[in-house]
Amino acid sequence: MIDPTPNESEAMTVGGCEGGEYLESIGKSDLATLTETEWDCFLDAVITGYCDHLRELAGRDRTRLDAMTPEVPF
């Protein structure tokens, strides 16, 4: 990813941790030894962790931005 935003960087960290947790759960650390199914599950953990966290951060940003927007006076 080129020039990730702070939210994207944080989401990458979370996605990576999710992938690491999956690898720990199956007792493997060498990606070259993963079966096709394990590889798919690993990618699912990383991508889902990334996307879920990015959506969570976007929701927080939206709430913060909405609170900063003054109401229309008419």
Side-chain angles (χ1 to χ4, degrees):
M1 180 176 295
I2 299 171
D3 297 327
T5 66
N7 282 2
E8 290 168 334
S9 292
E10 186 176 327
M12 282 190 273
T13 299
V14 170
C17 289
E18 294 292 328
E21 286 179 19
Y22 170 72
L23 293 175
E24 285 180 7
S25 77
I26 62 170
K28 292 186 175 182
S29 59
D30 183 353
L31 299 181
T33 66
L34 298 180
T35 66
E36 186 175 340
T37 300
E38 291 168 338
W39 176 251
D40 290 345
C41 290
F42 169 71
L43 289 180
D44 183 58
V46 171
I47 294 167
T48 300
Y50 172 83
C51 291
D52 286 352
H53 195 69
L54 198 56
R55 277 190 291 274
E56 180 184 331
L57 292 172
R60 286 186 213 162
D61 288 346
R62 179 79 266 154
T63 300
R64 184 175 54 81
L65 291 172
D66 287 346
M68 293 171 37
T69 306
E71 292 190 26
V72 178
F74 52 87

